Amino acid sequence: MARILTGIQSTGTPHLGNLLGAIRPAIDLANDAANDSFLFIADLHSLTQVKNGTELRQNTYAVAAAWLAFGLDTSRTAFYRQSDVPEVTELAWYLNCFFPYQRLTLAHSFKDKAERLEDVNGGLFSYPMLMAADILLYDADFVPVGKDQLQHLEMTRDVAARFNHRMGDTFVVPQEMIRSETMLIPGLDGAKMSKSKANTLNIFDDPSALKKRINKEIITDATPLEDPKDPDNAVVWKLYQSIVGDVQGQHMAEKLSAGGYGWGHAKKELLEAIVDGFAEERDAFNRWMTDLGGLDAELSKGAAQAREVAATVLDRVRTKIGY
Ligand code: TRP
């Protein structure tokens, strides 16, 4: 049985692009009985950017509620908050001491963030070693990540190998599993949906807020109602199709191509597809968000499972170091 582990950024309520592109496939993988799976919300990493306790906590809840609403089975997966396993910060320190400073200066993600962000702190700089600790602390075999995390995974493998070489076999050297971006969800403006572009759709919003956002923000052209429209150039159709699938998506495509069917009609169908198609997930999400105690209980259960493994691995590391 392979151990699969991955970390989730806690940047607030996941949007449609996150849900369809990353969360749903990750849940399928985690719920697969052939895997032993660990999934955590990286709220220590968030501290590099968020300095407000309420926001930090709320972001974690929103992320946890979304994963649970989309069917993550916590009897199969250890689902926890990174900050509930303090062992990880101890391991991060050790790893920092086994990794060349010079290599950290070459991290793309740091360079990129250092250019964009106002608060360029030391945590951002050593981010890759905390991430390596997230992985090595649990003897993970496979780490599903997006392409942008590849360099972090290389650093993880590198620091594990350096430590093993220097101190004797200690860590499992993990393998990355690159998520292929099969589902490219456009944002409301047509560019890739992303939080930083403010073009996202929050499917958990109430119907009136959703309606407003769809009607106001999804770009359309000025083709008159009666004229044929090209679905392949229509954001509203692409979003609709990503939710309902190819077969049902074809119906709207045909109506658009035939003419006599306006953007307003398409937007109305999209709204219905979200409200009806995600009815269960929306209900579950809202139930969790009004039961934060229940969310805490789920995450604590996961943390207890995680800490058991963490304690064993950390013991191994301390012994090797000489403590
Ligand atoms: N850095 C990852 C991201 O931005 C999140 C993350 C933190 C992670 N720790 C991890 C992913 C460990 C995989 C394994 O997406």
Side-chain angles (χ1 to χ4, degrees):
M1 196 181 251
R3 177 163 296 166
I4 299 203
L5 171 146
T6 198
I8 312 160
Q9 281 184 28
S10 60
T11 39
T13 309
H15 55 68
L16 184 67
N18 301 140
L19 291 165
L20 298 185
I23 295 180
R24 219 159 51 180
I27 288 176
D28 290 342
L29 194 65
N31 286 354
D32 182 340
N35 300 322
D36 169 22
S37 131
F38 281 61
L39 197 65
F40 68 92
I41 301 171
D43 63 343
L44 292 172
H45 280 117
S46 302
L47 186 59
T48 59
Q49 287 173 59
V50 180
K51 299 292 192 293
N52 173 311
T54 309
E55 189 185 337
L56 206 57
R57 225 176 7 256
Q58 208 53 34
N59 282 351
T60 297
Y61 284 137
V63 169
W67 282 76
L68 292 170
F70 268 72
L72 180 71
D73 179 356
T74 58
S75 70
R76 288 237 166 91
T77 294
F79 184 47
Y80 56 98
R81 271 191 197 95
Q82 188 185 26
S83 63
D84 281 342
V85 187
E87 286 84 352
V88 78
T89 58
E90 182 178 333
L91 181 57
W93 174 252
Y94 301 150
L95 298 177
N96 263 307
C97 296
F98 281 81
F99 199 68
Y101 161 83
Q102 188 56 37
R103 283 290 311 281
L104 283 174
T105 66
L106 300 177
H108 309 309
S109 65
F110 176 73
K111 285 196 246 180
D112 174 47
K113 286 175 186 159
E115 276 170 24
R116 276 189 298 117
L117 303 177
E118 226 169 82
D119 177 11
V120 184
N121 53 69
L124 272 183
F125 186 72
S126 51
Y127 186 114
M129 289 301 105
L130 180 57
M131 181 158 159
D134 288 329
I135 297 167
L136 301 178
L137 188 57
Y138 303 99
D139 289 338
D141 300 301
F142 295 102
V143 184
V145 283
K147 253 204 256 113
D148 63 318
Q149 296 299 309
L150 204 52
Q151 193 186 35
H152 288 154
L153 252 296
E154 277 162 16
M155 290 180 171
T156 302
R157 293 166 52 82
D158 187 12
V159 73
R162 282 170 193 269
F163 191 103
N164 286 348
H165 180 71
R166 196 69 191 265
M167 312 306 277
D169 220 13
T170 310
F171 293 119
V172 172
V173 181
Q175 206 74 58
E176 71 271 4
M177 276 172 82
I178 299 298
R179 255 198 309 269
S180 54
E181 300 237 2
T182 43
M183 271 229 157
L184 265 190
I185 313 294
L188 307 186
D189 59 355
K192 183 181 174 192
M193 188 178 286
S194 117
K195 193 181 176 195
S196 61
K197 294 194 202 118
N199 62 2
T200 59
L201 198 55
N202 174 6
I203 65 152
F204 302 117
D205 263 346
D206 60 79
S208 64
L210 267 171
K211 184 174 173 188
K212 219 175 178 176
R213 190 136 173 90
I214 288 172
N215 287 343
K216 278 201 172 152
E217 306 292 337
I218 294 185
I219 54 156
T220 52
D221 60 23
T223 318
L225 188 144
E226 52 284 357
D227 287 11
K229 300 169 187 66
D230 179 9
D232 289 325
N233 284 322
V235 174
V236 58
W237 178 71
K238 288 185 193 160
L239 287 170
Y240 179 77
Q241 189 210 28
S242 73
I243 293 168
V244 300
D246 289 342
V247 176
Q248 202 186 322
Q250 201 48 38
H251 295 316
M252 185 190 283
E254 281 161 16
K255 285 188 266 187
L256 284 166
S257 309
Y261 178 83
W263 295 124
H265 298 125
K267 287 183 170 184
K268 187 160 171 283
E269 282 201 62
L270 172 63
L271 175 66
E272 284 164 9
I274 294 171
V275 174
D276 301 342
F278 290 119
E280 254 175 62
E281 289 85 352
R282 287 164 47 84
D283 273 358
F285 180 85
N286 289 315
R287 249 182 293 122
W288 282 118
M289 288 307 276
T290 50
D291 177 22
L292 299 184
L295 278 181
D296 279 327
E298 282 292 343
L299 294 169
S300 302
K301 182 180 79 177
Q305 294 164 343
R307 289 191 79 174
E308 228 173 275
V309 180
T312 326
V313 177
L314 198 54
D315 240 19
R316 214 158 71 205
V317 179
R318 286 185 188 138
T319 308
K320 286 281 168 53
I321 294 177
Y323 292 136

